[in-house]
């Protein structure tokens, strides 16, 4: 990967875009399967399973972390003295 100081390699796509691309990927790689992982999902080749599990884990960790930060901030705000 070239070293481009103007390119942000850490940028993530917004969730609606990720959802749409995930749906497109699943439909593009539709294969025969006994049963999909989720109702309505097409079957996916088994070689995608590890990547999908990692992605699910990262999304769950992100949501859990966000909820923890929200809870901590709410606790801090409740402890602040009321403005007079």
């Amino acid at each position: 990967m070239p070293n481009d100081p103007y390119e942000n390699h850490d940028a993530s796509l917004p969730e609606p875009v990720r959802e749409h691309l995930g749906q497109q990927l699943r439909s593009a790689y539709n294969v025969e399967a006994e049963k999909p992982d989720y109702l309505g999902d097409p079957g996916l080749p088994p070689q995608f399973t590890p990547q999908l599990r990692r992605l699910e884990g990262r999304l769950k960790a992100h949501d859990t972390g966000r909820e923890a930060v929200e809870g901590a901030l709410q606790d801090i705000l409740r402890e602040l003295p009321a403005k007079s």
Side-chain angles (χ1 to χ4, degrees):
M1 193 181 306
N3 249 346
D4 185 354
Y6 301 105
E7 191 170 344
N8 183 358
H9 297 287
D10 296 327
S12 64
L13 296 172
E15 186 169 343
V17 174
R18 289 192 317 258
E19 290 287 329
H20 174 75
L21 291 175
Q23 289 174 351
Q24 294 295 315
L25 179 64
R26 286 190 291 274
S27 65
Y29 288 98
N30 189 10
V31 296
E32 278 189 38
E34 290 181 22
K35 177 177 90 171
D37 285 344
Y38 303 100
L39 183 62
D41 275 354
L44 293 173
Q47 61 265 31
F48 285 130
T49 300
Q51 290 87 352
L52 290 173
R53 297 293 177 243
R54 276 200 318 266
L55 177 60
E56 289 169 348
R58 290 179 77 180
L59 291 174
K60 184 176 180 179
H62 174 80
D63 289 342
T64 302
R66 182 183 43 80
E67 291 169 2
V69 169
E70 284 176 357
L73 288 174
Q74 287 175 356
D75 291 345
I76 290 170
L77 291 175
R78 274 195 293 270
E79 292 176 9
L80 288 177
K83 290 185 178 180
S84 301

